Amino acid sequence: MLRNSNGKQTAYEFVSIEDLVPKDHMLRKIDKHISFEFIREKVKPLYCEDNGRPAIDPIVLFKMIFLGYFYGIRSERRLEQEIQTNLAYRWFLGLGLTERVPDHTTISWNRRTRFKDTTIFQDVFDEIVLQAIQHRMVGGRVLVSDSTHIKANANKHKFTKKEVLQNTKDYIDELNAAVTEDRKQNGKKP
């Protein structure tokens, strides 16, 4: 029988975000083993306790940057869009289905202003890696990846191992470049 699916987008449904994220999703494993609570204590001196508007939870901000780093999202604007539509990301951040995602400018402002001239990103990254090592989520293995274009007659028995280091500073630099490019394209000041 042919059915018409018109109007389903406006139907109200009672659902739990918990039930919508697969039980074996990688973010569930990360959430189970990695505690992000240490972040509050690390950033406490960078926040004012007795005036100003209430801040967005710093754990949410750092988890957003973690998602961008973990999933290779190289723009804060794109990160905001991905979080808006990805249920697993919302679940990981503790955001409800209708809750507003922190704006990309908020992420950028905190990263470029509040956390400027600090080692906070490297400290947070290091702590997450230490926790991951303790829970045997990562190891000290060497990963060899070939992402170069090779000629069709290349010798498959000849290769060079290279250790590739990427740190959080490289990711932060990429985010800064994306912000600069976005401002330039939209005719804004640097």
Side-chain angles (χ1 to χ4, degrees), residues 35-66:
S35 171
F36 290 85
E37 290 300 317
F38 70 93
I39 292 172
R40 277 196 190 91
E41 196 58 39
K42 282 202 176 291
V43 300
K44 193 174 185 177
L46 303 172
Y47 284 84
C48 184
E49 291 187 31
D50 59 0
N51 64 29
R53 67 181 178 151
I56 292 173
D57 185 355
I59 292 178
V60 171
L61 290 175
F62 278 92
K63 278 185 166 185
M64 287 177 77
I65 293 171
F66 174 82

Coordinates of all heavy atoms in Angstrom, one line a residue, residues 35-66:
S35 N 37.1 11.3 32.3 CA 36.4 12.3 33.1 C 36.9 13.7 32.8 O 38.1 13.9 32.8 CB 36.6 12.0 34.6 OG 36.1 13.1 35.4
F36 N 36.0 14.5 32.4 CA 36.4 15.9 32.0 C 36.2 16.9 33.2 O 36.4 18.1 33.0 CB 35.5 16.3 30.8 CG 35.8 15.6 29.5 CD1 35.2 14.4 29.2 CD2 36.7 16.2 28.6 CE1 35.5 13.8 28.1 CE2 37.0 15.5 27.4 CZ 36.4 14.3 27.1
E37 N 35.9 16.4 34.3 CA 35.6 17.2 35.5 C 36.8 18.0 35.9 O 36.7 19.1 36.5 CB 35.1 16.4 36.7 CG 33.7 15.8 36.5 CD 32.7 16.9 36.3 OE1 32.7 17.9 37.0 OE2 31.8 16.8 35.4
F38 N 38.0 17.6 35.6 CA 39.3 18.3 36.0 C 39.3 19.6 35.4 O 40.1 20.5 35.8 CB 40.5 17.4 35.7 CG 40.7 17.3 34.2 CD1 41.6 18.2 33.6 CD2 40.1 16.3 33.5 CE1 41.8 18.1 32.2 CE2 40.3 16.2 32.1 CZ 41.2 17.1 31.5
I39 N 38.6 19.8 34.3 CA 38.7 21.1 33.5 C 38.2 22.3 34.4 O 38.8 23.3 34.3 CB 37.9 21.0 32.2 CG1 38.6 20.0 31.3 CG2 37.7 22.3 31.5 CD1 37.8 19.6 30.0
R40 N 37.2 22.1 35.1 CA 36.6 23.2 35.9 C 37.7 23.8 36.8 O 37.8 25.0 37.0 CB 35.4 22.7 36.7 CG 34.2 22.8 36.0 CD 32.9 22.7 36.9 NE 31.8 22.5 36.0 CZ 31.3 21.3 35.7 NH1 31.9 20.2 36.2 NH2 30.2 21.2 34.9
E41 N 38.5 22.9 37.5 CA 39.5 23.4 38.4 C 40.6 24.1 37.7 O 41.1 25.1 38.1 CB 40.0 22.2 39.2 CG 40.8 22.6 40.5 CD 40.0 23.4 41.4 OE1 38.8 23.1 41.7 OE2 40.6 24.3 42.0
K42 N 41.0 23.5 36.5 CA 42.1 24.1 35.7 C 41.7 25.5 35.2 O 42.6 26.4 35.1 CB 42.4 23.3 34.5 CG 43.2 22.0 34.9 CD 44.0 21.5 33.7 CE 44.9 20.4 34.0 NZ 46.0 20.8 34.8
V43 N 40.4 25.8 34.9 CA 40.1 27.1 34.3 C 39.5 28.0 35.3 O 39.2 29.2 35.0 CB 39.1 26.9 33.1 CG1 39.7 26.1 32.0 CG2 37.7 26.4 33.6
K44 N 39.3 27.6 36.5 CA 38.7 28.4 37.6 C 39.4 29.8 37.7 O 38.7 30.8 37.8 CB 38.7 27.7 38.9 CG 37.9 28.3 40.0 CD 37.8 27.5 41.2 CE 36.9 28.1 42.2 NZ 36.7 27.2 43.4
P45 N 40.7 29.9 37.7 CA 41.3 31.2 37.8 C 41.1 32.2 36.6 O 41.3 33.4 36.7 CB 42.8 30.9 37.9 CG 43.0 29.5 38.1 CD 41.7 28.8 37.7
L46 N 40.6 31.6 35.5 CA 40.3 32.4 34.3 C 38.9 33.0 34.2 O 38.6 33.7 33.3 CB 40.6 31.6 33.0 CG 42.0 31.0 33.0 CD1 42.1 30.0 31.8 CD2 43.0 32.1 32.8
Y47 N 38.1 32.6 35.2 CA 36.7 33.1 35.3 C 36.5 34.0 36.5 O 37.1 33.8 37.5 CB 35.7 31.9 35.4 CG 35.5 31.2 34.0 CD1 36.4 30.2 33.6 CD2 34.5 31.5 33.2 CE1 36.3 29.5 32.5 CE2 34.3 30.8 32.0 CZ 35.2 29.8 31.7 OH 35.0 29.2 30.5
C48 N 35.6 34.9 36.4 CA 35.2 35.8 37.5 C 34.1 35.1 38.3 O 33.1 34.7 37.6 CB 34.8 37.2 37.0 SG 34.5 38.3 38.4
E49 N 34.2 35.0 39.6 CA 33.1 34.3 40.3 C 32.0 35.2 40.8 O 30.9 34.7 41.1 CB 33.8 33.7 41.6 CG 34.7 32.5 41.2 CD 35.2 31.8 42.4 OE1 34.4 31.7 43.4 OE2 36.3 31.3 42.4
D50 N 32.2 36.5 40.8 CA 31.1 37.4 41.4 C 30.5 38.4 40.6 O 29.7 39.2 41.0 CB 31.7 38.0 42.7 CG 32.9 38.9 42.4 OD1 33.3 39.0 41.2 OD2 33.4 39.5 43.4
N51 N 30.8 38.5 39.3 CA 30.1 39.4 38.4 C 30.1 38.9 37.0 O 30.8 37.9 36.6 CB 30.6 40.8 38.5 CG 32.1 40.9 38.0 OD1 32.5 40.2 37.1 ND2 32.8 41.9 38.6
G52 N 29.3 39.6 36.1 CA 29.2 39.2 34.7 C 28.0 38.2 34.6 O 27.4 37.7 35.5
R53 N 27.7 37.9 33.3 CA 26.6 37.0 33.1 C 27.2 35.5 33.3 O 28.4 35.3 33.2 CB 26.1 37.1 31.6 CG 27.1 36.7 30.6 CD 26.5 37.0 29.2 NE 27.5 36.6 28.2 CZ 27.3 36.2 27.0 NH1 26.0 36.1 26.6 NH2 28.3 35.9 26.2
P54 N 26.3 34.6 33.5 CA 26.7 33.2 33.8 C 27.4 32.7 32.5 O 26.9 32.9 31.4 CB 25.4 32.5 34.0 CG 24.4 33.5 34.4 CD 24.8 34.8 33.7
A55 N 28.5 32.0 32.7 CA 29.3 31.5 31.6 C 28.7 30.2 31.1 O 28.1 29.4 31.9 CB 30.7 31.3 32.0
I56 N 29.1 29.8 29.9 CA 28.8 28.5 29.4 C 29.7 27.6 30.1 O 30.9 27.9 30.3 CB 29.0 28.4 27.9 CG1 27.9 29.3 27.2 CG2 28.9 27.0 27.3 CD1 28.1 29.5 25.7
D57 N 29.3 26.4 30.5 CA 30.1 25.4 31.2 C 31.4 25.2 30.4 O 31.3 24.8 29.3 CB 29.3 24.1 31.3 CG 30.0 23.1 32.2 OD1 31.2 23.3 32.6 OD2 29.4 22.0 32.4
P58 N 32.5 25.4 31.1 CA 33.8 25.2 30.4 C 34.0 23.8 29.9 O 34.7 23.6 28.9 CB 34.9 25.6 31.4 CG 34.2 25.7 32.7 CD 32.7 25.9 32.4
I59 N 33.4 22.8 30.6 CA 33.5 21.4 30.1 C 32.8 21.3 28.8 O 33.4 20.6 27.9 CB 32.9 20.5 31.2 CG1 33.8 20.5 32.4 CG2 32.8 19.1 30.6 CD1 33.3 19.6 33.6
V60 N 31.7 22.0 28.6 CA 31.0 21.9 27.3 C 31.9 22.5 26.2 O 32.1 21.9 25.1 CB 29.6 22.6 27.3 CG1 29.0 22.7 25.9 CG2 28.7 21.8 28.2
L61 N 32.5 23.7 26.5 CA 33.4 24.3 25.5 C 34.6 23.4 25.1 O 34.9 23.2 24.0 CB 33.9 25.6 26.1 CG 32.9 26.8 26.2 CD1 33.6 28.0 26.8 CD2 32.4 27.2 24.8
F62 N 35.2 22.8 26.1 CA 36.4 22.0 25.8 C 35.9 20.7 25.2 O 36.7 20.1 24.3 CB 37.2 21.7 27.1 CG 38.1 22.8 27.4 CD1 37.8 23.8 28.3 CD2 39.4 22.8 26.9 CE1 38.6 24.9 28.6 CE2 40.3 23.9 27.2 CZ 39.9 24.9 28.0
K63 N 34.8 20.1 25.5 CA 34.3 18.9 24.8 C 34.0 19.2 23.4 O 34.2 18.4 22.5 CB 33.0 18.4 25.5 CG 33.3 17.5 26.7 CD 32.0 16.9 27.3 CE 32.3 15.8 28.2 NZ 31.0 15.2 28.7
M64 N 33.5 20.5 23.1 CA 33.2 20.8 21.7 C 34.5 20.9 20.9 O 34.6 20.4 19.8 CB 32.5 22.2 21.7 CG 31.1 22.2 22.1 SD 30.3 23.8 22.2 CE 30.0 24.1 20.4
I65 N 35.5 21.5 21.5 CA 36.8 21.5 20.8 C 37.4 20.1 20.7 O 38.0 19.7 19.7 CB 37.8 22.5 21.6 CG1 37.3 23.9 21.4 CG2 39.2 22.3 21.0 CD1 38.0 24.9 22.3
F66 N 37.2 19.3 21.7 CA 37.6 17.9 21.6 C 36.9 17.2 20.4 O 37.6 16.4 19.7 CB 37.3 17.1 22.9 CG 37.5 15.7 22.9 CD1 38.8 15.1 23.1 CD2 36.5 14.8 22.7 CE1 39.0 13.8 23.1 CE2 36.7 13.4 22.6 CZ 38.0 12.9 22.8

